[in-house]
Amino acid sequence: MATLSIAFQCAGHPGTLLTDNKTRVYKLLQLSERIFYDRVKNENLYPGLSPFIPKYFGVQRYQQKDYIVLEDLSHQYTKPCLLDIKVGTRTWSPQVSEKKKQRVIQRDLVTTTSTLGLRYCGSKGYNRVLDQYIYFTKAVGQKLSRHDFFDKIVPWFINERNSIRKDVCRQYIEHLKVLKSWLENSKYCTRFYSCSLLFCYEGASNKTANPIIKMIDFANVYETKAINEDDDGVVFGITNMINFLTKMQTLVTD
């Protein structure tokens, strides 16, 4: 097996994501997340959701640790722009300890998770004028109010002419509407607690933007007994994101 290196992470615990610098990333294994990916792959679970889930290549051991192997969503881009938004109003599953549950509840209550169903977890944006990346971490997102959230994500959609990437916004809205429709009409009693939406697009000026959205981080996915039980607030969050992107298309920047 080739030597792996630490991959860029918008969020998550540092060092838990490795890359082969080609087309795959290696995420430190969590059993519950492996079970989710195995079921999606082997049982054809959630067929309508599959376009929004990274390709899964199984589990591989590296330096005495097990990793889930996934497609590298940024490998297709020359200058990848990445935005990680945690989605949902509840980010703990019934499987967690009471201590962790209370800690996570408090974090949800003091961040935009509770008010928007969205929390800014980090981003990597390419500034064409400066020819460099601009980074923000999850610490920024934890301090945002619901009123600051929109202002924080707007710069990620601005090009070198200081204009909103309306083409990118439009395609994201279309993708999110499809995802929202699947979630609203799903026959599965699945709760996607603490999942994120990873937004990606091409930042290079001579390339097609090719915006994509994937759901990531499935360690807290949980099967309930009834469709209307223990709402995860994911649809609420996606609705708010659609509204933000729609509003963004009307902005005129200086």
Side-chain angles (χ1 to χ4, degrees):
M1 181 178 178
T3 300
L4 304 179
S5 57
I6 295 176
F8 169 77
Q9 295 175 242
C10 282
H13 299 290
T16 58
L17 194 68
L18 306 178
T19 177
D20 62 3
N21 295 306
K22 294 180 182 177
T23 61
R24 299 183 181 186
V25 292
Y26 296 70
K27 183 179 182 184
L28 197 61
L29 185 144
Q30 295 186 68
L31 182 58
S32 55
E33 188 164 36
R34 175 185 181 172
I35 291 172
F36 172 82
Y37 277 114
D38 280 341
R39 292 190 67 197
V40 169
K41 182 178 180 179
N42 300 328
E43 301 175 22
N44 194 29
L45 193 66
Y46 316 127
L49 190 63
S50 57
F52 296 98
I53 299 176
K55 292 178 182 176
Y56 169 62
F57 303 102
V59 173
Q60 192 154 354
R61 194 162 183 80
Y62 180 73
Q63 294 185 347
Q64 287 76 56
K65 294 181 180 179
D66 291 323
Y67 291 85
I68 291 172
V69 185
L70 304 168
E71 67 172 320
D72 184 346
L73 298 172
S74 67
H75 84 274
Q76 62 183 294
Y77 302 113
T78 304
K79 300 293 184 182
C81 296
L82 310 173
L83 173 65
D84 186 322
I85 301 290
K86 190 167 291 294
V87 63
T89 53
R90 168 175 162 176
T91 63
W92 56 273
S93 80
Q95 300 162 309
V96 301
S97 66
E98 184 63 26
K99 181 178 180 180
K100 182 174 181 179
K101 172 183 170 181
Q102 293 305 320
R103 176 170 57 82
V104 173
I105 287 175
Q106 288 305 310
R107 183 180 60 197
D108 290 349
L109 287 173
V110 299
T111 63
T112 53
T113 288
S114 60
T115 54
L116 297 176
L118 301 166
R119 187 166 78 237
Y120 186 102
C121 287
S123 65
K124 172 184 179 179
Y126 177 65
N127 186 304
R128 299 178 187 174
V129 176
L130 299 176
D131 188 27
Q132 66 182 34
Y133 287 105
I134 307 297
Y135 300 92
F136 290 101
T137 66
K138 64 180 180 181
V140 173
Q142 291 175 352
K143 297 176 182 178
L144 294 178
S145 70
R146 62 176 300 168
H147 305 293
D148 299 330
F149 182 89
F150 182 71
D151 292 336
K152 176 53 65 176
I153 65 172
V154 166
W156 191 75
F157 291 90
I158 293 178
N159 63 21
E160 76 278 8
R161 296 183 298 277
N162 206 33
S163 300
I164 297 292
R165 293 293 305 268
K166 295 182 180 181
D167 57 328
V168 173
C169 292
R170 258 192 315 273
Q171 291 182 66
Y172 281 148
I173 290 170
E174 292 174 6
H175 295 329
L176 287 172
K177 284 181 176 178
V178 173
L179 176 58
K180 178 185 174 184
S181 177
W182 183 89
L183 290 166
E184 288 177 324
N185 297 292
S186 173
K187 65 180 180 180
Y188 302 100
C189 302
T190 307
R191 298 295 174 260
F192 294 94
Y193 298 125
S194 201
C195 287
S196 284
L197 296 174
L198 185 64
F199 296 77
C200 315
Y201 76 88
E202 175 62 72
S205 58
N206 61 340
K207 302 282 186 178
T208 303
N210 190 26
I212 62 171
I213 300 175
K214 298 287 184 179
M215 289 185 75
I216 58 172
D217 300 336
F218 298 104
N220 291 289
V221 169
Y222 185 78
E223 297 291 330
T224 64
K225 295 181 180 179
I227 291 290
N228 60 352
E229 181 180 314
D230 294 332
D231 183 28
D232 52 19
V234 171
V235 169
F236 173 69
I238 289 175
T239 301
N240 281 328
M241 195 67 195
I242 291 172
N243 292 338
F244 283 138
L245 291 166
T246 302
K247 177 182 176 182
M248 205 177 301
Q249 292 184 95
T250 68
L251 290 182
V252 178
T253 52
D254 297 327

